[in-house]
Every structure is written in structure tokens, then in C-alpha cells.
Amino acid sequence: MSTQEVAGTVTRRLLVDGLLRETGQTLASLDPATGEVYGYAPEAGVADVDEAVAAARRAFDDTNWATNPRFRRRCLNQLYRALRDNVEDLRALTIAEVGATRALTQGNQLESPFEIVRFYADLLGDFEWTEDLGNVEIRGQQHHRWVEKEAAGVVAAIAAYNYPHQLALAKLAPALAAGCTVVLKGAPDTPLSTLSLGEIIANHTEIPAGVVNVLASSDIEVGKRMTTHPDVDVVTFTGSTPVGREIMAAASATLKKVFLELGGKSAMILLDDADYTTAATFAAFSVVTHAGQGCALTTRLLVPAQAHDQVAELVAANFAHVHHGDPNDPKTYMGPLISEKQRDKVHAMVQRAVAAGATLVTGGQKLDPGFFYAPTLLANVDPDSEIAQEEVFGPVLALISYTDDDDAVRIANNSIYGLSGAVFSADAERAKAVARRVRTGTFSINGGNYFHPDAPFGGYKQSGIGREMGTDGLEEFLERKTLAEVVA
């Protein structure tokens, strides 16, 4: 992976139609642990989008990429090996630009997403592209019918900043496996991480020119152009629910296929027979993972009313053991928020929650240097209040009391979101019964981990449309054509 040095900072290049290139403008990337400039990315404009889409269109329409699964599998395996070969460069970049801890880069921030690429390469080995429906008699003749699965076309893929490699590869790998061509744009807060994937593809794989194009931009018009371009067939977006609504509305003008992975306000339910000590530890260390910047994190903790104060003490004690600081230090558990803007948003929500009647048990402070925020527990939270309803995207846990299992389920479902959730109970069947009543796309029972390349991930309600990963993730990038012929 090529790395240029400009005044001691790291730079990357756009990938458009097989060429790595600069533009006339640059986009600064900050190290959120220090607040200082880490590097620069070329700033793409609307003209770059048009050129990238045109390249993707040509690669889809004029080459055999969409019809050659054996070649696609070879290219995906090349990409997987190249990612592995460049893992240490990518790790250093991810720690510095994303603020991810070293431990997280060994999991979902970096190395685990590589396995998504391998999963789809392996899936191509035995995926059934045709489904036989058999014969049917119509007006005295036999008609044979079957369904063929075809690549959906040109994909506009837009990823968020919190897990840039995970989010990019969860879109890119299945889209390529399906035979689509892609224009990928990373978040303006983490442009170098996404552009690094483009450089690896250009330098270490046989993926043809135009099949993958990678852009970086802070210009809102760039995203708008990607989601409304008449030559784009599919839009996939990960980010906030308000932006997802705008994208869905914009794409409706050309009836594009849209799938969205959006926000969450997931609830963890501690049933009255749960081991509170174990569950409180799980809840505390989960919500501060990557400083709370995870859409599926359980940010509401629902506890029996009689256990409210006990659990509050347990969570606060766990928060006291959360080591924050230099993300490159192996001892660091929690890194920074991505920006001062995001930290200000988190702090303002905590202050409004206290003003509205919540009890600040611990935390609620900005920590310097960089964009750190103290692990924060708010108790006696009204389930209808802003802090219980709106996504914070910071290390903030809202503690809410309930009366019985039915009340817990009601509160958990009292949300526009439906991404994830969790339950703890000494009775596995009781826990499963609660899990099945909560309307979310994923759910953890007694600490079970659902997140893996072979498991579909996505949400109900306003947490999104469609699924990433698993066979379902491939199907999102396919169209189905039903064919029939008269047989003797």
C-alpha cells in the first residue's frame, strides 16, 4: 500500500476508473485522540462522482464482470490476501484516524471485517444462481419455469465514520460477489481509512478498472449526486436515521433499490432472576466500546424497580475501571469520540437529561486532550424522555425501571428504532420468550454474540431496510428474472 508523506502527514488518493489520483482540493483528517491533523485526502466534487459512476456503468455494461463469478471469486480472494498483507499499516491508520483502540482493531474495527471478504469469496464457490420452478400445464401445453439471479447494477455505497472498514467491506464484498460495480464514499471524518481500501484494490488485485471507485468528500452535494444519479441502480447507506430518510426520499425519483443500516436505541433487559453483577459488567463495558459510537450498542438498561439503585452502583463501579487514553496503548479500553462537534452533542444531551429530571450518577464531563468523554450513567430516566428516545452515539447509559416482564418489553419497544437488544436471565427459556417479543433485527441472550460474517445484520422500523452480511447480504445486490419456455 503506497503512502505519501506531506509535511509529516499521511495522504491517500481517490480511485476512479482504475487510476489513483489527486484533486485540486484536500480534506483534512484529524486524530481524535489529540485533535491534531493526521493527514489529508483529496476532496471529490460532483464532477468526480459523474466520472466514477460513468466508469462503473461501463464496467458493468461492457465487460464480463457481472457474468463471471469464477473471476470475481479470484479477485475477492486476492483482496482478502492483500488486506491481510497490509494489516499493520491499516491498523496504524485506523488507530490514528478513527480513534479505535488497538484491541478493537484486532476485532470489528479491522481484522474481523477481512473475514467478510473471505466469506463472500467462499460463498461464490457453491452459490445457486438459478432456481428451478418445474413445469406447469397451461392451455394444454407444458411450460418450464425457472428464476435466474443477476447483478443489480451500479451501486452507490456510503459508509459512516465509526467502523469505516467494517461498513465499507460489508457493502463492497457482497456487491462485488453479486457482480455489481461500485462507487464507494467514506465519511468525511475518516476519509483515509476508506481510500486505503481503494489503493489496495488498485495495487494488489485484478479487479478491472471501473468496477470499484472510491471517493472522499465533505461536500453534501457529492452524496446527493451519488444517491440521485440516473445511472446508479442501488443505494446502500450506513449512518443516521434522519439522513437515511433523506436518501430514501431522494432515490424515489428514479425508484432505485435502497437499503439502509441506520440508528438504534437498543435496550438491555435485566430480568428479576438475572445475575446483576455479571449483567451490569456487560452493560457497562458494552456501552463504552469505541466510546459508545456503535449503532447496535445497548444504551438503555432496563431493570426491575426494586433493583434500580443496586444496579446503578454496580454500573458506576465498572465505569470507574474503564481505562481511557492513547488508543495505541494496549491497556486502553476506551478511545475518543470522533470530533469536538460530536462531543459537544453528547455533552448537551447529558445536560438536558439532567435538567429534565434524570440523576447523573457518574461521568458527564469532557476529558482532555483530544475528544474524550467520561463514561456516563444517568439513572431514574423517564422512558419517554429525549435521552431514552434519541441516539446519543457516546458513552452514555440510561437506567430505566420497569415493573414486570410485560412492562420491560413495552419499554424496549417504545422506540422508533429496532436494531438490537439484549436480555439476561437465569432461565434461558424465559429469556428467549422476552427476546422474541422485542421488535429488533438482532438480539443477544445472556451475552450471546450474533455479529459474524455469516449472520444477517439490520433493523426493524426506522433502524433500516434490508440486511448486511450473510447470504441475505448478497441477495440485496441481486435482481431476479423469471423465465419460461414451452416444452414438448
Side-chain angles (χ1 to χ4, degrees):
M1 182 170 60
S2 64
T3 300
Q4 297 174 300
E5 296 293 333
V6 178
T9 58
V10 178
T11 67
R12 292 288 185 269
R13 292 168 290 174
L14 308 182
L15 175 60
V16 179
D17 203 10
L19 299 176
L20 294 167
R21 70 186 199 190
E22 308 286 344
T23 64
Q25 297 181 316
T26 57
L27 172 64
S29 175
L30 302 184
D31 180 340
T34 65
E36 298 175 356
V37 173
Y38 170 68
Y40 293 92
E43 176 100 58
V46 171
D48 297 297
V49 175
D50 290 343
E51 190 172 344
V53 172
R57 187 81 260 167
R58 287 193 300 272
F60 186 82
D61 293 340
D62 300 338
T63 76
N64 72 341
W65 175 258
T67 57
N68 192 342
R70 182 176 296 180
F71 178 55
R72 299 200 300 272
R73 186 183 189 195
R74 186 170 82 198
C75 289
L76 284 171
N77 279 321
Q78 291 170 350
L79 176 56
Y80 176 76
R81 288 193 296 271
L83 291 168
R84 281 287 171 203
D85 290 343
N86 286 275
V87 64
E88 293 309 322
D89 286 342
L90 290 169
R91 192 187 318 281
L93 170 61
T94 306
I95 291 171
E97 183 181 52
V98 184
T101 62
R102 178 166 288 273
L104 278 179
T105 65
Q106 295 166 350
N108 289 343
Q109 274 288 4
L110 184 64
E111 293 192 52
S112 293
F114 296 171
E115 301 307 311
I116 300 173
V117 180
R118 186 166 70 170
F119 171 79
Y120 285 108
D122 291 346
L123 185 61
L124 284 179
D126 57 8
F127 186 75
E128 295 291 339
W129 297 94
T130 301
E131 178 186 358
D132 196 317
L133 300 179
N135 291 357
V136 64
E137 182 179 335
I138 301 176
R139 296 176 182 174
Q141 289 184 309
Q142 290 291 319
H143 298 256
H144 178 226
R145 296 94 25 79
W146 69 100
V147 176
E148 294 183 1
K149 299 177 182 179
E150 302 178 348
V154 175
V155 175
I158 302 175
Y161 66 77
N162 54 331
Y163 286 81
H165 301 295
Q166 162 70 38
L167 300 176
L169 292 174
K171 300 177 187 305
L172 190 61
L176 297 180
C180 295
T181 57
V182 182
V183 179
L184 169 67
K185 187 183 86 69
D189 294 295
T190 55
L192 302 176
S193 295
T194 307
L195 293 181
S196 67
L197 300 178
E199 292 202 350
I200 287 174
I201 287 169
N203 292 327
H204 300 288
T205 76
E206 297 176 80
I207 294 175
V211 169
V212 178
N213 305 270
V214 187
L215 306 178
S217 183
S218 61
D219 184 354
I220 191 171
E221 295 302 321
V222 166
K224 287 182 178 179
R225 182 61 173 164
M226 288 178 64
T227 57
T228 59
H229 197 293
D231 283 336
V232 167
D233 302 294
V234 180
V235 176
T236 172
F237 169 79
T238 298
S240 72
T241 294
V243 176
R245 295 187 195 111
E246 292 179 7
I247 287 173
M248 191 170 182
S252 68
T254 48
L255 292 180
K256 299 184 189 308
K257 188 174 185 179
V258 176
F259 66 103
L260 309 167
E261 202 275 279
L262 305 176
K265 193 67 184 179
S266 302
M268 179 184 294
I269 302 171
L270 275 58
L271 298 183
D272 57 18
D273 63 349
D275 180 336
Y276 294 152
T277 300
T278 299
T281 301
F282 190 94
F285 282 89
S286 172
V287 81
V288 300
T289 300
H290 194 34
Q293 298 170 112
C295 54
L297 296 178
T298 46
T299 54
R300 293 181 292 159
L301 183 58
L302 278 52
V303 299
Q306 65 273 19
H308 177 278
D309 293 349
Q310 177 188 354
V311 173
E313 291 179 5
L314 290 168
V315 172
N318 279 292
F319 275 172
H321 293 294
V322 174
H323 180 74
H324 77 276
D326 179 5
N328 204 37
D329 185 342
K331 296 179 182 178
T332 298
Y333 187 86
M334 189 185 81
L337 293 169
I338 193 65
S339 66
E340 186 65 35
K341 178 182 177 182
Q342 179 60 23
R343 185 167 70 166
D344 285 345
K345 176 202 167 188
V346 171
H347 190 53
M349 291 186 73
V350 170
Q351 290 181 314
R352 290 197 298 271
V354 173
T359 302
L360 178 61
V361 178
T362 187
Q365 304 100 24
K366 298 180 180 181
L367 305 173
D368 296 318
F371 309 134
F372 292 88
Y373 198 77
T376 300
L377 175 62
L378 295 165
N380 300 303
V381 171
D382 181 340
D384 293 321
S385 64
E386 179 195 42
I387 202 69
Q389 291 292 320
E390 297 298 326
E391 189 172 41
V392 179
F393 233 55
V396 179
L397 185 62
L399 189 62
I400 301 171
S401 298
Y402 69 84
T403 56
D404 56 22
D405 290 11
D406 289 343
D407 192 39
V409 170
R410 180 190 64 79
I411 293 172
N413 285 331
N414 176 31
S415 173
I416 65 169
Y417 301 109
L419 187 55
S420 191
V423 64
F424 277 82
S425 173
D427 184 337
E429 293 307 313
R430 183 184 177 195
K432 291 175 188 176
V434 168
R436 292 184 177 113
R437 295 173 63 193
V438 179
R439 292 185 49 76
T440 63
T442 56
F443 210 87
S444 170
I445 299 171
N446 288 328
N449 190 346
Y450 52 76
F451 203 76
H452 196 266
D454 64 351
F457 177 82
Y460 290 15
K461 299 189 280 186
Q462 293 189 43
S463 283
I465 297 172
R467 293 294 181 268
E468 291 187 335
M469 300 194 297
T471 303
D472 298 62
L474 178 65
E475 298 277 0
E476 296 286 356
F477 294 102
L478 296 173
E479 293 284 10
R480 290 156 185 77
K481 179 180 291 183
T482 303
L483 299 97
E485 62 181 353
V486 175
V487 294

